[in-house]
Amino acid sequence: MIQFTNVSKRYPGGHDALSNISFDMEKGAMAFLTGHSGAGKSTLLKLVALIERATRGQLFLDGENVTRISTRRIPYIRRKIGFIFQDHHLLFDRTVFDNVALPLVIAGYSHKEIGKRVRAALDKLGLLNKERAYPVTLSGGEAQRVGIARAVVNKPMLLLADEPTGNLDPDLSRDIMTLFGLFNDVGVSVLIASHDIALIEQMDYPVL
């Protein structure tokens, strides 16, 4: 699903966020990405999601070399990917339903299909009773679950999570990690950046 071959990322000013990174992650796998603060975990995920572009090296997603694909192609590749941010990135002027529906609206799904998929995602994450709520009324754990629902609503092949439990208590963190395992059980490839080594050690998955 993901293949890095000698990938480097240099930002303007000469800062090397990543240098000669090579690894393979098979389709249907789940793995954790660890490292100290500033090690480049977020940058690596952004390269996979094509939010950033590699400076050098080759990056393949689902068998396709995306290193130099055109900007016009990027939105179509991203439809295969769900991205979960540490700080949710929810739109505070829209309801929970509308936040989760956004990827489907952009992709051009019908109103009926959007309603069906959004409510299924909210139900899976225990948020069906919050669909008319606004983000400001949610707890940290609820807001994180809304972010997860938005990431999985279009049934992506690949789920990327950037420190998804960084602001949560230990019990909620375990619940969120268990959810990722459930998505992986149904065939979704999952890559999670986390510095929570104690929690990672409780999960039986490869660590990069």
Side-chain angles (χ1 to χ4, degrees):
M1 172 55 73
I2 303 172
Q3 181 182 351
F4 274 54
T5 304
N6 297 323
V7 171
S8 297
K9 174 62 180 180
R10 173 171 287 185
Y11 285 106
H15 171 61
D16 287 312
L18 295 169
S19 182
N20 294 323
I21 301 297
S22 296
F23 74 93
D24 290 285
M25 183 175 134
E26 293 183 2
K27 195 168 188 174
M30 175 165 159
F32 288 99
L33 176 66
T34 65
H36 60 79
S37 180
K41 299 187 298 296
S42 294
T43 297
L44 191 148
L45 292 184
K46 288 176 181 177
L47 290 177
V48 176
L50 300 176
I51 296 170
E52 301 275 7
R53 306 296 289 270
T55 307
R56 295 188 304 276
Q58 301 291 312
L59 170 55
F60 289 80
L61 289 178
D62 198 27
E64 180 178 358
N65 189 337
V66 299
T67 312
R68 297 287 178 264
I69 65 167
S70 68
T71 303
R72 285 192 304 174
R73 281 274 295 142
I74 289 176
Y76 298 97
I77 300 293
R78 283 197 189 137
R79 289 180 188 180
K80 301 179 181 180
I81 301 170
F83 201 110
I84 299 159
F85 300 90
Q86 181 177 354
D87 58 357
H88 324 314
H89 283 208
L90 300 181
L91 301 175
F92 284 86
D93 61 340
R94 302 193 186 190
T95 64
V96 165
F97 182 98
D98 289 338
N99 268 278
V100 176
L102 191 58
L104 302 178
V105 173
I106 292 170
Y109 283 85
S110 69
H111 184 75
K112 182 179 179 181
E113 184 67 13
I114 289 171
K116 179 181 173 183
R117 288 199 179 203
V118 169
R119 291 188 177 95
L122 291 175
D123 188 35
K124 190 173 187 67
L125 286 147
L127 292 166
L128 203 51
N129 64 332
K130 298 287 186 178
E131 68 170 273
R132 296 182 183 278
Y134 284 84
V136 71
T137 68
L138 303 176
S139 69
E142 287 170 339
Q144 187 61 287
R145 282 184 285 150
V146 172
I148 295 171
R150 182 182 56 193
V152 301
V153 72
N154 62 344
K155 300 178 181 176
M157 292 193 303
L158 174 62
L159 192 57
L160 305 172
D162 191 5
E163 299 285 4
T165 62
N167 300 318
L168 305 179
D169 64 50
D171 288 339
L172 272 173
S173 295
R174 278 191 295 273
D175 289 345
I176 294 297
M177 290 301 189
T178 299
L179 271 171
F180 291 138
L182 292 174
F183 292 129
N184 181 241
D185 287 344
V186 296
V188 180
S189 304
V190 184
L191 181 58
I192 305 165
S194 177
H195 61 259
D196 192 342
I197 302 300
L199 182 57
I200 290 171
E201 287 176 347
Q202 297 174 27
M203 315 283 289
D204 188 22
Y205 294 101
V207 177
L208 304 173

